[in-house]
Amino acid sequence: MDISELQSTLHLLFETLQGSPVFKSLRPVSIADRVVLLLFLLSTCGYLTRGHIWDRPDPNYGAYFERPQLVNSASSNKTIMTRNIYQRIEDGDYQVVIFWGSQSGTAERFAEVLGRECSTRFGINAMVADLSDYDAESISEIQKPYFAIFILSTYGEGDPSDNAVGLWDWIKRIKDQSTKLENLQYLALGLGNSNYKYYNRVLDVVVDAFDAAGATALIPAQRADDAVGATEEDFQSWKDEVFSLLRERGYEQKTATYQATLNVWLRPNSERHSDVSQQVSISHQQSTTCSTIYPLPIRSSRELFTAGDRNCIHMELELGNNDILYKTGDHVGIWPCNPDEEIERLLKVLGLKERRNDALDITVLDDSAKPKVPRGNTLESALRHHLEICALVSRKTILNLSQFAPTPSAKAILSEIGQDRELYAQLASSTHITLARLLQLASPVDPWTSLPLSFIIENLLALQPRYYSISSSSIVSPRCISITALVVNKVIDSETPESIQGLTSNYILSASKLQSKASLPTPSFQHTASPTLGSTLYAHVRKSKFKLPLTSSTPLILVAAGTGFAPFRAFLSERAKLHTIGKPIGRMILFFGCRNPDSDYIYREELGKLQDTLGEALKIVTAFSRDQAKKVYVQDRVSEYGNDLLEMLDSGANMYICGKASMAREVDGKIEDAVKRIKGLEQSGVKVWVDDLKRRGKWRADVWG
């Protein structure tokens, strides 16, 4: 509709209204009537002209959602993107597709490494595919000679990663639809943590469905276990099996040599960059579950432990006028920076201390490579804000590093560690093998001047946020979030001062300006501040399913140990607020465990005030593991109250468990034992009963490894 057509339509509408009996009977007789009529006509005109005269759609709107690497690639003009994976494989002349389902980025990284090595070692054109980019149903079309590889992570209560939801839904339908997959050949690796009850459940469900539908597993599915820190080693062992399979299928293996996927060089920096946006990781993607990253001002901090050599920090962050919104039970992702000591150590061992302020220029040479450092960063800012320089170096990386060794002895040391799994494990158990410490160990005197910066950026992980359960209620404090952080300092060798110092927890401690209670020296960090905001932390909010029921009268069972109490502080604060304004409150029982009531009973005074406010609606059951001769854990107290808990669950209560995965697994076992004893059910019946509660959202867990 053009402007002339709109004018004609409006004129006809006005004439029709004028001639109608209703219009005549409503003829304006006062100034107020005329104003109302004018407003009505203006509103009508505005509605009819929207999208034609005003609020026109941006013709380039779709470009906002395009991936730059696809828009800028030379092949983007030749290849029409499709969501049919089989068509994509044929169009791209690929021989294998490597799917990844990743929540934290590990499975994605493994898929990229495998794809790159398939190309460099065997000359195989391998496609690395994000599961969310393709319709899962089209996997059924993959047939010989092609085959598919799946690297799938499991997190939470046996849940798939966000990008694997489409695959998960299709897998559930395979059996119902009697889908046949006789032509599909596949390999699979699962990433999980055996501390969790549903260890590698996603892999098991997918593999069972494939096998039942007639697909062929070229080698048995393997599982990587993060509980014992074996994820990298398990991946390497599985990758060796994959390469053995490729050799058996006639592919000739070439000698592995380093081929850079990035071109990285340093140039003198003519201007010092002060743009704070460079401190924000480009690996973070705003989504329906994650907000934008913002610098959040620190309102206040306080120490929660009253004694001992550990710190537990309560910190409050202002949301200010940004667009971050949170709900009670959500998580906050804190983006740390690396400590000064590790940055200085790495610059020194690379022989680059004098070039710390030089600018990094990075060009992508391989379509599969993803930049981890934004443009315009100096070498120092890249090491401080964008790369995981404090992470453990994998055995595979150590072996690859040996080719750049400055001396024959350094090469021999790294080759021996890289080839001997037991020696590597022994070294890892006695020292924290960061990249800088490893290079320093192998060559204490000669710097690693021949080690390419491209190798460092490719092999170090992008710096990631650490997530904390928000310990404030969005109803009580909608524009301020609080976090409860235990500062981690794990001694790994009692005979030496070697320790693993939690990166983000020590970063939070440093930002709080509270005194460390640790006996070992604490790392020092560079903090951001502004004249208007003061000291800040970069953070974003991630949505969670760990939510209170809609009705405040629903009974609650809350089980926590240590800082697992954080979300329950928010839950109880919200219930107390509702109680004070006259809302009906359901019965609540809180199980809380810690070491000692006199040292680490966090929020003890607050809990006392909540108890006074809520009265009989709240019952607190404590467990202290180091307060008496016999250790009492929170799961022991849950077992004691088995009858009460089952009665509450049967009457509609919601149960929440928060803390370490090992604790949550023990609690699950105690409740299942109570179900067997009281209800007289067999294990199969117990599983049905538990699964029903979880399916209806009546049993939720928020746990970590």
Side-chain angles (χ1 to χ4, degrees), residues 535-584:
S535 296
T536 62
L537 291 182
Y538 279 90
H540 72 275
V541 167
R542 181 179 70 181
K543 291 182 180 179
S544 164
K545 297 178 182 178
F546 205 67
K547 301 295 185 187
L548 281 167
L550 294 176
T551 55
S552 60
S553 59
T554 302
L556 302 180
I557 300 167
L558 311 175
V559 184
T563 54
F565 175 67
F568 300 152
R569 176 181 182 265
F571 284 11
L572 294 175
S573 299
E574 189 160 309
R575 280 285 175 99
K577 179 69 173 180
L578 295 173
H579 178 67
T580 57
I581 62 175
K583 294 287 186 181

Side-chain angles (χ1 to χ4, degrees), residues 258-264 451-459:
Y258 172 64
Q259 295 183 3
T261 61
L262 302 171
N263 190 5
V264 182
L451 178 58
L453 284 174
S454 58
F455 182 92
I456 295 173
I457 294 176
E458 288 168 358
N459 284 273

Side-chain angles (χ1 to χ4, degrees), residues 117 120-121 243 253-259 396 400 403:
E117 292 196 23
T120 57
R121 288 173 177 263
F243 289 167
Q253 185 169 353
K254 306 171 187 175
T255 303
T257 56
Y258 172 64
Q259 295 183 3
K396 178 65 174 177
N400 290 336
Q403 63 190 297

Side-chain angles (χ1 to χ4, degrees), residues 365-503:
L365 302 176
D366 188 316
D367 290 342
S368 66
K370 295 182 179 179
K372 302 171 187 174
V373 180
R375 290 188 173 203
N377 270 268
T378 63
L379 174 60
E380 180 181 343
S381 63
L383 298 180
R384 186 179 300 280
H385 297 292
H386 299 288
L387 299 172
E388 289 271 15
I389 67 172
C390 293
L392 190 72
V393 180
S394 71
R395 187 164 60 91
K396 178 65 174 177
T397 300
I398 293 175
L399 189 60
N400 290 336
L401 276 167
S402 64
Q403 63 190 297
F404 306 110
T407 64
S409 62
K411 182 174 184 178
I413 290 172
L414 294 188
S415 297
E416 184 180 10
I417 297 172
Q419 293 170 355
D420 191 330
R421 181 169 182 168
E422 291 185 5
L423 180 60
Y424 172 80
Q426 182 181 356
L427 181 64
S429 65
S430 60
T431 185
H432 186 48
I433 319 174
T434 64
L435 177 62
R437 295 182 186 188
L438 174 73
L439 300 181
Q440 202 171 49
L441 172 69
S443 180
V445 178
D446 297 296
W448 290 68
T449 53
S450 61
L451 178 58
L453 284 174
S454 58
F455 182 92
I456 295 173
I457 294 176
E458 288 168 358
N459 284 273
L460 289 178
L461 305 178
L463 194 61
Q464 295 293 325
R466 275 61 168 177
Y467 287 99
Y468 295 86
S469 296
I470 296 176
S471 55
S472 57
S473 161
S474 57
I475 289 180
V476 178
S477 56
R479 300 308 298 163
C480 176
I481 60 178
S482 66
I483 57 176
T484 307
L486 176 68
V487 180
V488 178
N489 292 295
K490 180 183 177 184
V491 176
I492 56 178
D493 189 342
S494 58
E495 297 181 0
T496 66
E498 285 289 348
S499 64
I500 299 176
Q501 296 173 304
L503 177 64

Side-chain angles (χ1 to χ4, degrees), residues 137-213:
E137 291 84 352
S138 62
I139 293 173
S140 63
E141 299 179 31
I142 300 175
Q143 52 189 284
K144 299 174 183 178
Y146 311 115
F147 61 96
I149 299 176
F150 296 85
I151 303 179
L152 305 171
S153 65
T154 298
Y155 81 103
E157 291 291 283
D159 300 317
S161 58
D162 291 343
N163 76 309
V165 170
L167 172 71
W168 194 246
D169 292 340
W170 175 61
I171 287 296
K172 291 179 179 178
R173 297 195 303 268
I174 284 179
K175 185 175 181 180
D176 295 338
Q177 298 174 350
S178 300
T179 303
K180 297 300 180 184
L181 301 173
E182 289 95 342
N183 294 321
L184 176 64
Q185 300 180 103
Y186 77 95
L187 301 90
L189 173 70
L191 310 184
N193 187 312
S194 60
N195 283 333
Y196 288 75
K197 183 176 180 179
Y198 297 98
Y199 169 56
N200 264 312
R201 176 172 177 255
V202 172
L203 174 78
D204 293 339
V205 171
V206 170
V207 167
D208 288 347
F210 281 172
D211 292 348

Side-chain angles (χ1 to χ4, degrees), residues 41-181:
L41 291 174
L42 287 174
S43 300
T44 303
C45 180
Y47 176 77
L48 292 174
T49 57
R50 181 181 180 185
H52 303 282
I53 297 177
W54 67 282
D55 193 25
R56 288 184 173 183
D58 184 350
N60 299 315
Y61 181 71
Y64 298 156
F65 305 97
E66 291 176 345
R67 297 185 177 185
Q69 63 268 33
L70 295 180
V71 174
N72 298 330
S73 69
S75 61
S76 61
N77 293 327
K78 300 177 182 179
T79 304
I80 300 175
M81 296 305 294
T82 173
R83 288 190 59 83
N84 184 298
I85 187 61
Y86 183 61
Q87 182 182 335
R88 184 77 178 90
I89 292 171
E90 287 200 313
D91 292 345
D93 196 27
Y94 294 106
Q95 295 157 280
V96 60
V97 56
I98 306 171
F99 291 108
W100 57 267
S102 184
Q103 197 69 15
S104 63
T106 304
E108 179 182 6
R109 177 169 59 87
F110 286 170
E112 290 169 352
V113 167
L114 181 60
R116 191 158 51 245
E117 292 196 23
C118 280
S119 174
T120 57
R121 288 173 177 263
F122 295 94
I124 294 175
N125 189 16
M127 176 186 175
V128 178
D130 180 340
L131 279 163
S132 64
D133 287 343
Y134 299 94
D135 294 326
E137 291 84 352
S138 62
I139 293 173
S140 63
E141 299 179 31
I142 300 175
Q143 52 189 284
K144 299 174 183 178
Y146 311 115
F147 61 96
I149 299 176
F150 296 85
I151 303 179
L152 305 171
S153 65
T154 298
Y155 81 103
E157 291 291 283
D159 300 317
S161 58
D162 291 343
N163 76 309
V165 170
L167 172 71
W168 194 246
D169 292 340
W170 175 61
I171 287 296
K172 291 179 179 178
R173 297 195 303 268
I174 284 179
K175 185 175 181 180
D176 295 338
Q177 298 174 350
S178 300
T179 303
K180 297 300 180 184
L181 301 173

